[in-house]
Amino acid sequence: VTKKNKKLDDAILIKRSNLPLCCPRDNYMKLAHPKIFLPIEKSPDGVIQCPYCSTVYRLIEMNKQKK
């Protein structure tokens, strides 16, 4: 298992209904970094990593259009 695959295995799964995505998320408010919005819907592979805490998020509904 490569380091990249390991990160994808540990990714937090995000649905389109959870957008816009911000980190830290509501249940992780104890993390010590400012709240930032991550443009996961613009990522070609639907994966984005927080530049502060390195949490990896994966959009699980990539091919569906937002209605």
Side-chain angles (χ1 to χ4, degrees), residues 1-2 4 6-7 9-10 13 19 21 25 27 31 33-34 36 42 46 49 54 58-59 61-64:
V1 175
T2 66
K4 185 175 181 181
K6 176 66 173 151
K7 285 187 177 184
D9 289 343
D10 294 337
L13 304 179
L19 297 179
L21 173 62
R25 297 180 67 212
N27 54 344
L31 293 177
H33 74 71
I36 61 168
K42 295 180 181 178
Q49 184 174 15
S54 300
R58 182 165 54 106
L59 189 60
E61 299 171 328
M62 276 299 295
N63 296 327
K64 293 183 181 178

Side-chain angles (χ1 to χ4, degrees), residues 1-65:
V1 175
T2 66
K3 187 175 183 179
K4 185 175 181 181
N5 288 340
K6 176 66 173 151
K7 285 187 177 184
L8 285 177
D9 289 343
D10 294 337
I12 296 173
L13 304 179
I14 301 297
K15 294 181 180 181
R16 285 202 173 269
S17 61
N18 297 125
L19 297 179
L21 173 62
C22 64
C23 187
R25 297 180 67 212
D26 291 339
N27 54 344
Y28 296 109
M29 291 306 286
K30 296 188 187 232
L31 293 177
H33 74 71
K35 181 177 182 176
I36 61 168
F37 288 89
L38 302 171
I40 194 170
E41 64 278 6
K42 295 180 181 178
S43 172
D45 59 356
V47 176
I48 198 163
Q49 184 174 15
C50 176
Y52 288 101
C53 66
S54 300
T55 300
V56 176
Y57 298 94
R58 182 165 54 106
L59 189 60
I60 58 173
E61 299 171 328
M62 276 299 295
N63 296 327
K64 293 183 181 178
Q65 296 295 322

